[in-house]
Amino acid sequence: MDDFSGIDGFFGTRASLAMDLMVLVMALVTVALVWSVYQVKVRRRFGLHRRVQIPLGLGLLVAVVLFELDVRLNGWEERAAGVVGGEASGVVWTALAVHLVFAVFSVLLWPVVIVRAVRNFGSPPQPGGHSAWHRRWAPVAAVGMILTAVTSWVFYAVAFVG
Ligand code: HEM
């Protein structure tokens, strides 16, 4: 795998280090998100939920920007093809398109959910007039992010494994 542009990952697949790191980051985000929703929904720990969701949103933003830079600079298609100069197959492009639908949706919805929550839930955050909106859209944002993670893993498997 030495001839591909960029640094090889640590999972032992054809993927780059940035890809492997992103697979891990999305796993950590999924766990933190499920835990944070459990804390607010079942245990009603609103402050804890806020302390998780804001860094989670900011952390994701930083990770995505760094990841995009790496992928744009070094490319990924040769690694997906398994040959220097190669192109990704139709299945790989389809998996990427499905992933991008969820990723773009999440990138647009998350900032709206976070900014509205910070503005309207008060400090310390408490249920109130904003609850109905948040209870409708925050679960959509959460499920959207989990589907973003799942579809990223499918893309990774199709493109870089086997
Ligand atoms: C994208 C980021 C966020 C997601 C995905 C998210 C997700 C959720 C979910 C799934 C619930 C449970 C809704 C239900 O009971 O049906 C919830 C409740 C809540 N969240 Fe968030 N949340 C986010 C950001 C925030 C932020 C930044 C704050 C505080 C500033 C916040 C404050 C609350 C509060 C106070 C509730 C309880 C609402 C109520 O039951 O009346 N959330 N959130």
Side-chain angles (χ1 to χ4, degrees):
M1 284 181 218
D2 301 339
D3 296 337
F4 294 127
S5 173
I7 308 168
D8 289 346
F10 42 80
F11 286 137
T13 66
R14 288 189 302 278
S16 66
L17 179 61
M19 285 282 171
D20 283 8
L21 282 174
M22 209 56 196
V23 163
L24 266 188
V25 165
M26 291 313 287
L28 293 176
V29 165
T30 303
V31 171
L33 180 58
V34 168
W35 184 77
S36 169
V37 169
Y38 167 80
Q39 290 300 329
V40 75
K41 208 172 157 70
V42 179
R43 307 200 53 200
R44 313 299 282 164
R45 298 177 74 180
F46 310 113
L48 178 61
H49 175 63
R50 178 173 73 176
R51 283 197 299 280
V52 174
Q53 290 309 133
I54 294 175
L56 205 57
L58 291 174
L60 263 169
L61 200 64
V62 173
V64 167
V65 169
L66 292 177
F67 172 77
E68 284 295 325
L69 279 176
D70 181 277
V71 169
R72 307 264 163 223
L73 289 177
N74 292 314
W76 58 272
E77 262 198 275
E78 295 189 333
R79 286 180 178 274
V83 208
V84 173
E87 288 177 3
S89 69
V91 181
V92 169
W93 280 108
T94 306
L96 179 60
V98 173
H99 168 63
L100 286 179
V101 169
F102 292 105
V104 169
F105 176 76
S106 299
V107 162
L108 295 177
L109 186 56
W110 268 57
V112 178
V113 170
I114 292 178
V115 169
R116 287 192 58 123
V118 169
R119 284 205 182 136
N120 298 310
F121 274 134
S123 191
Q126 285 293 329
H130 183 58
S131 288
W133 192 93
H134 194 77
R135 279 170 167 241
R136 163 174 290 221
W137 289 105
V140 175
V143 170
M145 188 55 78
I146 289 171
L147 289 177
T148 301
V150 171
T151 54
S152 79
W153 297 328
V154 171
F155 166 73
Y156 182 98
V158 173
F160 305 116
V161 183

